[in-house]
């Protein structure tokens, strides 16, 4: 039996054949198992000698089965590796790579320009209350200035909307028409001096065309401290022009009305490559009534007034306008159409 079994194990061609041999000799009804059961019928001395021989045979078969199993597993692995071999010298398959949206690219560039000047970027909610979007910015209800912002009003009041310090805010809800509410929120929770940027998405109920969209992005800046003047404002916009268009660019201010600044101005940058002025946004000195509204809100929260005797300037510009210029996009609607042929052009831009 030993010679026959060892020969069969050595010649087993695969793991299934080896499994069958294990069952033939060592299984419950195997040949060796039957011999072990027959020991009970033998005399004691003969049983002892034969039992030792059978145990030795069992150990020899188990060792032979284990060694052959390892050999067959190694052969199977080598065969599989040979069949699945890859030629690493061939070029790999190119995977689709995504990229940042052109609006995100432009917004990040603007933020980095002002961050180098000491500004900190802050963000606020897109669903806003009437108080922060209008009232605190010197645009009270029924004031004609509200006609400048075609507003998406939401049903219900602002229950659950949090204020700058986590307090509950009540009042009519809307989709913010500009990022200026974040200026008020920041002033309530902080004391001057500071320089902040408020980038983000805004909403206005407007007719869409090649240069106008109901959803667009703004970037606003606010600087507050002692002795802040229009000269500081012009310096900030000048640095923006230099960073965007180079040393030959310049800045132009024209008087304009905005309810939350006094005096107010429309600013334009000289675009040397295009040889023309680009009107980018509005700016001005923060209106004293805005500071008064902030201090009144702070006092309701039990905080001391912080904006008496300080001045500040604010500015805001549209991100899409610059992105259209920077990337040669002729229609603002391309940014939000979701067409891959348009967006794939920017996947390698950083």
């Amino acid at each position: 039996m030993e010679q026959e079994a060892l020969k069969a194990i050595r010649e087993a061609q695969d793991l299934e054949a080896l499994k069958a041999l294990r069952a033939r000799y060592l299984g419950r009804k195997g040949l060796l198992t039957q011999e072990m059961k027959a020991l009970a019928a033998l005399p004691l001395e003969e049983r002892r000698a034969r039992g030792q021989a059978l145990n030795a045979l069992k150990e020899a078969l188990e060792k032979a089965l284990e060694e052959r199993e390892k050999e067959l597993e190694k052969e199977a692995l080598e065969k599989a590796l040979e069949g699945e071999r890859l030629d690493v010298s061939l070029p790999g398959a190119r995977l689709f790579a995504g990229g940042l949206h052109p609006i995100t690219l432009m917004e990040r560039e603007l933020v980095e320009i002002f961050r180098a000047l000491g500004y900190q970027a802050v963000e606020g909610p897109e669903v806003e209350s009437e108080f922060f979007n209008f009232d605190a910015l010197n645009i009270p209800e029924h004031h004609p200035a509200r006609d400048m912002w075609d507003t998406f009003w939401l049903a219900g009041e602002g229950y659950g909307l949090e204020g700058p310090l986590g307090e509950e805010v009540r009042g009519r809800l809307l989709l913010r028409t500009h990022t200026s509410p974040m200026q008020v929120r920041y002033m309530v929770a902080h004391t001057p001096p500071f320089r902040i940027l408020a980038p983000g998405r805004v909403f206005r109920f407007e007719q869409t065309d090649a240069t106008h969209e109901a959803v667009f992005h703004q970037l606003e800046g606010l600087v507050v401290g002692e002795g802040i003047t229009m000269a500081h404002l012009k310096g900030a916009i000048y640095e923006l022009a230099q960073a965007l268009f180079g040393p030959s660019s310049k800045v132009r201010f024209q008087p304009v009305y905005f309810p939350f600044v006094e005096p107010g101005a429309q600013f334009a940058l000289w675009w040397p490559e295009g040889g023309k002025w680009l009107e980018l946004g509005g700016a001005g000195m923060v209106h004293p009534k805005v500071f008064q509204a902030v201090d009144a809100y702070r006092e309701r929260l039990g905080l001391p007034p912080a904006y008496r005797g300080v001045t500040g300037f604010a500015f805001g510009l549209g991100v899409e306008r610059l992105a259209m210029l920077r990337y040669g996009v002729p229609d603002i609607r391309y940014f939000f159409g979701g067409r891959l042929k348009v967006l794939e052009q920017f996947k390698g831009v950083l």
Side-chain angles (χ1 to χ4, degrees), residues 28-164:
R28 289 184 178 181
K29 297 182 180 181
L31 299 178
L32 185 57
T33 305
Q34 296 301 320
E35 291 293 334
M36 297 287 281
K37 291 180 178 179
L39 288 176
L42 296 177
L44 181 60
E45 290 300 324
E46 189 176 348
R47 184 193 314 166
R48 182 178 301 167
R50 189 168 178 80
Q52 291 177 351
L54 291 175
N55 283 329
L57 175 57
K58 182 179 179 181
E59 291 179 3
L61 295 182
E62 287 178 342
K63 182 179 180 181
L65 287 167
E66 182 179 352
E67 291 176 352
R68 184 55 179 162
E69 183 178 11
K70 291 181 179 179
E71 292 175 357
L72 291 173
E73 287 178 345
K74 182 179 179 182
E75 291 174 5
L77 177 61
E78 291 176 350
K79 185 177 180 181
L81 292 175
E82 184 67 26
E84 299 174 6
R85 177 183 294 178
L86 296 176
D87 185 353
V88 295
S89 66
L90 292 174
R94 296 187 63 181
L95 300 178
F96 173 78
L100 295 176
H101 193 279
I103 298 300
T104 302
L105 293 169
M106 193 70 246
E107 185 177 275
R108 288 188 176 185
E109 181 179 348
L110 292 170
V111 169
E112 287 305 315
I113 290 172
F114 284 103
R115 185 170 285 158
L117 300 176
Y119 288 70
Q120 173 191 0
V122 296
E123 295 182 351
E126 294 179 349
V127 174
E128 191 54 276
S129 75
E130 181 179 17
F131 174 79
F132 290 111
N133 196 86
F134 288 127
D135 296 340
L137 293 170
N138 195 32
I139 315 175
E141 190 175 7
H142 307 307
H143 193 286
R146 286 205 183 186
D147 294 338
M148 299 169 62
W149 290 270
D150 298 314
T151 307
F152 287 101
W153 293 96
L154 305 179
E157 295 196 352
Y159 297 101
L161 184 67
E162 289 190 354

Side-chain angles (χ1 to χ4, degrees), residues 308-330:
R308 296 172 183 172
V310 298
T311 56
F313 68 77
F315 62 86
L317 56 91
V319 179
E320 278 81 356
R321 180 79 185 277
L322 279 174
M324 292 173 70
L325 182 68
R326 171 61 54 85
Y327 302 118
V329 177

Side-chain angles (χ1 to χ4, degrees), residues 188-201:
V188 168
H190 300 81
T191 58
F194 55 75
R195 305 175 188 179
I196 64 167
L197 292 173
R201 186 168 55 172

